[in-house]
Amino acid sequence: MINDRLDALADYPFRKLSALLDPIKPVSNDAPLLLSVGEPQNQPPAFINEVIQENGHLWNKYPPALGTPAYRQAVADWLTARYKLPAGFVDPDRNVVPVPGSREPLFMLALVTIPAAKGGGKPVVLVPSPSYHVYRGAALAANAETVYLPATAATNFLPDPESVSREVLERTALCYLCTPSNPQGTVGDVAYLKSWIKLAREHDFVLAVDECYAEIYDALPPAGALEACAALGDGPNGTPMDNVVVFHSLSKRSSAPGLRAGFIAGDAKVMARYGELIGYACTPMPLPIVAAATALWRDEDHVRENQAMYRRNFDIATRLLDGKAGYFRPQAGFFLWLDVGDGEAVCARLWKEAAIRSLPGGYMAVPDANGVNPGAPYLRIAMVYDNDTMEDALGRLARAL
Ligand SMILES: Cc1ncc(COP(=O)(O)O)c(C=O)c1O
């Protein structure tokens, strides 16, 4: 009755976290803080409420699969400015599909891109380990073989394109990358992204690059996969963005995870097929939400304020944690990735002694061929609160470590 191929979906990181922490009662009198989930605790720009109200007469409309021309244009303009793309590089009608946040398309893309067989065998999905759990869930649902690529300190916490065997590449239908990476906050540069794009084109697989942390960065704006396509010489007259799909969201950029708004962009053939899938299986963004999201892609003020807040959080972390638990200041994102020796044990102790919920790194990774889980020594700390709260939280954390 139940598809047992999906049994591993029960291995959901936050379910495991509840199983670990719910039986434990914190002994600390401090207010509990949830540094386990990457959910911004500040508010999105207030103007979205006005925009939603102004468009309230549209709640009676079924949302169109591809949003509105104004939304797709705002996205194309943002991509062009953010990644310094040539004018006309992104065609808003062929290269952009609006989506309700990035989780749904990250999952659904597997249904669009994975054939019954590839390279004479079972299709492969390449997934970094550790990484966001949705990639492996998608591979499982699409009945592909998941090949995990180590994303460890040895390779700047990003999978090495040269580490994949030719046999595996020939069967690869889809490869997920995440840069800036969750959980570690490292960034692949243009040269790195170009290597993956060349590999994807050579072996004809889709490169799915999750860039949902692209706007939360410290010193320099992270490179993007479409920027790498432009650097490879793609252009409107050639075959622009072949084999490449990027994922963006307003959840982190504008602190609006509740809005459910984002886009995917890239290869026109994949976009067209994804657009068809929406008509069967996906929930397009409602029109008042599309209007608010259009305004958010055109807003930069709140994004700059957000960046400043996260930078100050990292200043606090550097002051309180430098020299402890392998602390490093990541290039991007809002997570700390601390080498605490045994992530699960320290997570349980932090909850008990300091009322801080964190996420054991091992819950985001799988054991390698030698049975070693590359995330197990780590703890992920989401620095999603304001500076005063983070000062308190990281002080508690430093004392407990
Ligand atoms: C790496 C990564 N990708 C995608 C998502 C999905 O976010 P959303 O669906 O809100 O865009 C998250 C959420 O935490 C994430 O961490």
Side-chain angles (χ1 to χ4, degrees):
M1 183 187 92
I2 294 270
N3 180 355
D4 56 8
R5 189 159 49 75
L6 299 186
D7 280 355
L9 291 187
D11 204 22
Y12 180 63
F14 291 102
R15 185 167 160 173
K16 283 162 89 172
L17 186 65
S18 292
L20 177 72
L21 298 187
D22 289 356
I24 301 172
K25 195 173 157 14
V27 291
S28 153
N29 289 328
D30 291 322
L33 287 174
L34 303 187
L35 309 187
S36 44
V37 191
E39 179 187 70
Q41 296 299 307
N42 64 347
Q43 289 295 321
F47 67 71
I48 61 170
N49 298 313
E50 288 152 41
V51 180
I52 289 171
Q53 236 174 17
E54 278 160 23
N55 289 274
H57 59 287
L58 297 171
W59 288 119
N60 72 331
K61 302 279 177 215
Y62 274 112
L66 298 180
T68 60
Y71 184 77
R72 296 193 303 275
Q73 189 63 55
V75 164
D77 291 347
W78 178 79
L79 278 172
T80 306
R82 170 66 176 78
Y83 295 108
K84 301 190 172 47
L85 302 174
F89 189 81
V90 178
D91 179 338
D93 296 329
R94 295 176 70 244
N95 301 121
V96 176
V97 172
V99 290
S102 54
R103 183 172 68 179
E104 179 176 292
L106 282 164
F107 187 90
M108 290 296 191
L109 189 75
L111 302 186
V112 167
T113 53
I114 298 175
K118 175 143 192 272
K122 189 164 180 167
V124 163
V125 177
L126 303 177
V127 172
S129 177
S131 63
Y132 185 49
H133 63 280
V134 172
Y135 315 150
R136 65 185 152 83
L140 203 65
N143 202 14
E145 177 184 331
T146 309
V147 172
Y148 292 99
L149 305 179
T152 63
T155 55
N156 191 28
F157 295 113
L158 296 169
D160 177 2
E162 304 214 340
S163 69
V164 194
S165 76
R166 180 156 279 276
E167 187 276 324
V168 166
L169 285 169
E170 245 129 63
R171 288 193 294 123
T172 299
L174 177 62
C175 169
Y176 288 102
L177 293 183
C178 184
T179 167
S181 60
N182 170 7
Q184 311 93 336
T186 50
V187 169
D189 61 12
V190 169
Y192 174 81
L193 292 165
K194 274 163 74 175
S195 313
W196 273 109
I197 294 168
K198 282 193 212 155
L199 216 52
R201 290 178 179 171
E202 202 183 316
H203 297 277
D204 199 23
F205 61 82
V206 170
L207 186 68
V209 190
D210 183 349
E211 299 181 346
C212 74
Y213 291 93
E215 291 278 80
I216 314 292
Y217 55 84
D218 195 5
L220 294 172
L226 299 191
E227 184 181 357
C229 288
L232 278 170
D234 288 18
N237 301 325
T239 46
M241 296 169 265
D242 265 9
N243 300 66
V244 176
V245 179
V246 296
F247 297 74
H248 283 268
S249 165
L250 292 169
S251 299
K252 323 289 178 186
R253 177 185 197 269
S254 299
S255 309
L259 198 66
R260 308 314 300 140
F263 67 85
I264 57 175
D267 188 318
K269 294 182 295 302
V270 182
M271 293 302 114
R273 181 49 54 88
Y274 197 90
E276 288 157 8
L277 183 77
I278 292 175
Y280 287 81
C282 307
T283 305
M285 284 188 277
L287 283 167
I289 302 287
V290 172
T294 306
L296 286 178
W297 285 114
R298 295 204 179 279
D299 168 71
E300 296 293 334
D301 295 345
H302 179 273
V303 180
R304 302 292 157 246
E305 283 165 31
N306 247 358
Q307 289 168 348
M309 179 193 72
Y310 291 122
R311 271 180 210 125
R312 285 193 298 268
N313 280 346
F314 280 111
D315 293 343
I316 296 168
T318 303
R319 175 162 45 77
L320 295 174
L321 295 171
D322 208 13
K324 286 194 165 71
Y327 171 82
F328 65 95
R329 183 173 179 138
Q331 292 161 275
F334 46 49
F335 297 112
L336 298 181
W337 187 239
L338 298 176
D339 185 349
V340 293
D342 180 344
E344 210 171 33
V346 175
C347 176
R349 191 160 64 74
L350 263 184
W351 179 234
K352 185 167 181 194
E353 294 175 7
I356 286 176
R357 267 175 121 92
S358 55
L359 186 71
Y363 292 6
M364 298 190 71
V366 292
D368 64 17
N370 302 316
V372 177
N373 181 324
Y378 292 90
L379 200 59
R380 192 190 77 171
I381 305 287
M383 299 209 296
V384 285
Y385 288 86
D386 60 82
N387 302 141
D388 290 345
T389 310
M390 285 315 304
E391 179 85 40
D392 168 34
L394 295 174
R396 287 193 227 169
L397 179 72
R399 284 190 294 278
L401 288 178

